[in-house]
């Protein structure tokens, strides 16, 4: 079999469920924007993934617009990147079905995110939640994407995408789907909960104080950092000194990601500083970086028709890439086209 060379292309997505958090911004959106111009970039609001758990139909469209507004406010340029919502490109669902028939139940059973989300309630969750990683593989491979920037929590799903591509290519004796590389780099690939440094910051946590939302105003951001859990010890002299101090490490990494510094450089600047000095500095930095984004999000949300127009144009561009790839997949599988 000759080895196909795939054009470098980035794909990534965010679910419109709940609001966007600082974890989504630093672990995903900021990095997505940074990859713009380096290679072709395709970014999606994955509304079909959102409905794997119940979404109020009255709120889903608005939540979809809000994620799109988050991307745009953070610097995504719809003339440079393709930006669309998943349900407007039906090829995602079609390739997802084929991948349901490629992926093995045993592979799905190993997905730690499903186990975490389903917990002891696995019998009652939707079949979609279980099959979700195979739809995610379809999202990526429908664009023959070679690079997928994600936070640490999505690594296993991108690895599964590689397994699905490999099995498809092997079963059908083709070299059709690329081997996708997860791009998990920088200091912000796992931003933790502000009240418990051993848990990921997520949109669905119980208390609003444990996360920073991209729509929080300056007062809220400052208050949440001020109340963030820490330990009584001042900042260490070296980065290694943060070992076994999850809350302290998290705040240093947030500072590093917001200021485009390495955590080592942050430690060098604040070695020996107490929290009374570090937390206000972090709050000021976060407000300076996030306030312009949240006010731009609010401005964009005032004109939903404009967001819808951007998503429609993006969906058209996405279909132009996705549909030929789906067609070729159908031919490889042997589906009759009359
Ligand atoms: P989702 O919507 O849960 O999160 C979107 C992105 O944000 C990252 N992220 C974080 N990064 C660092 N620290 C955190 N606390 C944090 N919380 C969230 C996630 O890692 C992710 O990159 N299954 C995906 C969506 C998806 C997708 C795809 C991603 C669907 N299809 C194809 C890439 C490619 C998800 O639920 O992300």
């Amino acid at each position: 079999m000759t080895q196909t060379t795939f054009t470098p292309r980035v794909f990534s997505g965010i679910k419109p469920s709940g609001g966007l958090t600082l974890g989504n911004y630093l672990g995903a959106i900021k990095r997505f924007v940074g990859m713009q111009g380096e290679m072709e970039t395709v970014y999606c609001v994955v509304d079909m993934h959102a409905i794997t758990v119940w979404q109020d139909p009255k709120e889903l469209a608005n939540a979809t617009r809000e994620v799109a507004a988050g991307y745009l406010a953070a610097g995504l340029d719809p003339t440079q990147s393709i930006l669309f919502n998943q349900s407007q490109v039906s090829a995602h669902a079609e390739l997802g079905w084929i991948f349901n028939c490629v992926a093995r139940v045993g592979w799905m059973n190993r997905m730690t995110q499903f186990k975490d989300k389903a917990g002891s309630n696995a019998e009652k969750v939707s079949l979609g939640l279980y099959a979700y990683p195979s739809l995610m593989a379809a999202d990526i491979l429908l664009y023959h994407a070679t690079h997928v920037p994600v936070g640490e929590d999505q690594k296993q799903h991108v690895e599964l995408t590689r397994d699905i591509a490999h099995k498809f290519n092997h079963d059908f004796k083709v070299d059709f789907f690329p081997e996708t590389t997860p791009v998990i780099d920088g200091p912000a690939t796992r931003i933790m909960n502000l009240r418990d440094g051993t848990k990921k910051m997520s949109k669905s946590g119980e208390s609003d104080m444990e996360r920073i939302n991209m729509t929080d105003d300056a007062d809220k951001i400052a208050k949440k950092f001020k109340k963030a859990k820490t330990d009584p010890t001042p900042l260490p002299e070296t980065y290694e000194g943060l070992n076994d101090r999850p809350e302290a490490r998290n705040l240093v990494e947030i500072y590093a990601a917001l200021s485009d510094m390495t955590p080592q450089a942050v430690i060098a600047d604040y070695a020996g500083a107490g929290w009374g000095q570090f937390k206000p500095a972090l709050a000021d930095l976060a407000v300076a970086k996030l306030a312009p984004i949240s006010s731009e999000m609010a401005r964009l949300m005032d004109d939903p028709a404009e967001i819808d127009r951007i998503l429609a144009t993006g969906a058209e561009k996405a279909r132009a890439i996705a549909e030929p790839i789906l067609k070729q997949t159908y031919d490889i599988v042997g589906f009759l086209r009359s």
Side-chain angles (χ1 to χ4, degrees), residues 269-328:
D269 282 358
Y270 285 96
W275 295 109
Q277 183 188 346
F278 187 76
K279 279 183 171 180
L282 174 59
D284 287 350
L285 172 67
V287 168
K289 297 285 177 180
L290 298 178
I293 299 176
S294 71
S295 58
E296 177 62 5
M297 275 177 80
R299 192 191 67 77
L300 289 162
M301 288 299 283
D302 270 347
D303 189 359
E306 173 64 5
I307 297 179
D308 295 2
R309 195 192 58 75
I310 291 171
L311 292 174
T313 309
E316 205 173 297
K317 290 185 200 162
R319 280 193 292 267
I321 303 174
E323 283 172 0
I325 291 178
L326 181 70
K327 223 178 218 174
Q328 288 174 69

Side-chain angles (χ1 to χ4, degrees), residues 6-7 9 140-146 176-178 321 325 328:
F6 294 94
T7 319
R9 184 180 282 146
I140 295 167
L141 294 173
L142 194 52
Y143 300 88
H144 278 182
T146 52
F176 185 62
F177 287 118
I321 303 174
I325 291 178
Q328 288 174 69

Side-chain angles (χ1 to χ4, degrees), residues 11-15 21 23-24 26-28 32 46 49 86 113 117 132 135-136 139-140 148-154 157-158 188-192 200-203:
F11 181 94
S12 203
I14 299 179
K15 282 192 307 274
T21 68
N24 296 130
L26 293 176
F32 298 175
V46 286
H49 284 268
Q86 187 186 22
Q113 197 170 66
K117 286 197 173 173
Y132 172 122
L135 179 61
M136 178 161 160
D139 301 338
I140 295 167
V148 179
V150 281
E152 186 64 46
D153 62 321
Q154 295 299 321
H157 293 160
V158 184
T189 55
R190 193 167 173 81
I191 298 294
M192 307 309 276
K200 191 186 73 158
M201 183 184 286
S202 85
K203 341 176 182 190

Side-chain angles (χ1 to χ4, degrees), residues 14 63-64 125 144 147-148 152 172 186 207-208 235 255 258 265 269 275 277 298 316:
I14 299 179
T64 301
V125 299
H144 278 182
H147 295 75
V148 179
E152 186 64 46
F172 293 100
S207 156
D208 195 52
L235 283 163
Y255 191 106
L258 283 169
D269 282 358
W275 295 109
Q277 183 188 346
E316 205 173 297

Side-chain angles (χ1 to χ4, degrees), residues 72-205:
L72 294 165
L76 187 139
D77 173 355
T79 64
Q80 264 198 62
S81 293
I82 296 178
L83 175 64
F84 71 107
N85 59 310
Q86 187 186 22
S87 62
Q88 297 212 64
V89 180
S90 59
H92 286 251
E94 294 176 78
L95 187 61
W97 178 254
I98 293 175
F99 286 171
N100 281 347
C101 303
V102 173
R104 305 289 94 182
V105 167
W107 300 358
M108 294 297 169
N109 286 342
R110 284 197 288 277
M111 293 298 113
T112 53
Q113 197 170 66
F114 176 76
K115 289 187 213 167
D116 291 347
K117 286 197 173 173
S120 54
N121 208 21
E123 295 278 313
K124 298 230 171 82
V125 299
S126 75
L127 181 57
L129 189 69
Y130 185 68
Y132 172 122
S134 112
L135 179 61
M136 178 161 160
D139 301 338
I140 295 167
L141 294 173
L142 194 52
Y143 300 88
H144 278 182
T146 52
H147 295 75
V148 179
V150 281
E152 186 64 46
D153 62 321
Q154 295 299 321
K155 184 170 183 224
Q156 197 186 28
H157 293 160
V158 184
E159 285 167 356
L160 183 91
T161 301
R162 292 161 68 99
D163 292 341
I164 290 177
H166 185 263
K167 182 163 166 53
F168 182 97
N169 287 347
H170 179 267
D171 289 354
F172 293 100
K173 298 184 178 51
V174 290
D175 186 20
F176 185 62
F177 287 118
E179 203 165 82
T180 301
T181 308
V183 184
I184 303 173
D185 55 11
T189 55
R190 193 167 173 81
I191 298 294
M192 307 309 276
N193 179 320
L194 296 181
R195 311 294 284 185
D196 178 352
T198 64
K199 286 193 194 145
K200 191 186 73 158
M201 183 184 286
S202 85
K203 341 176 182 190
S204 53

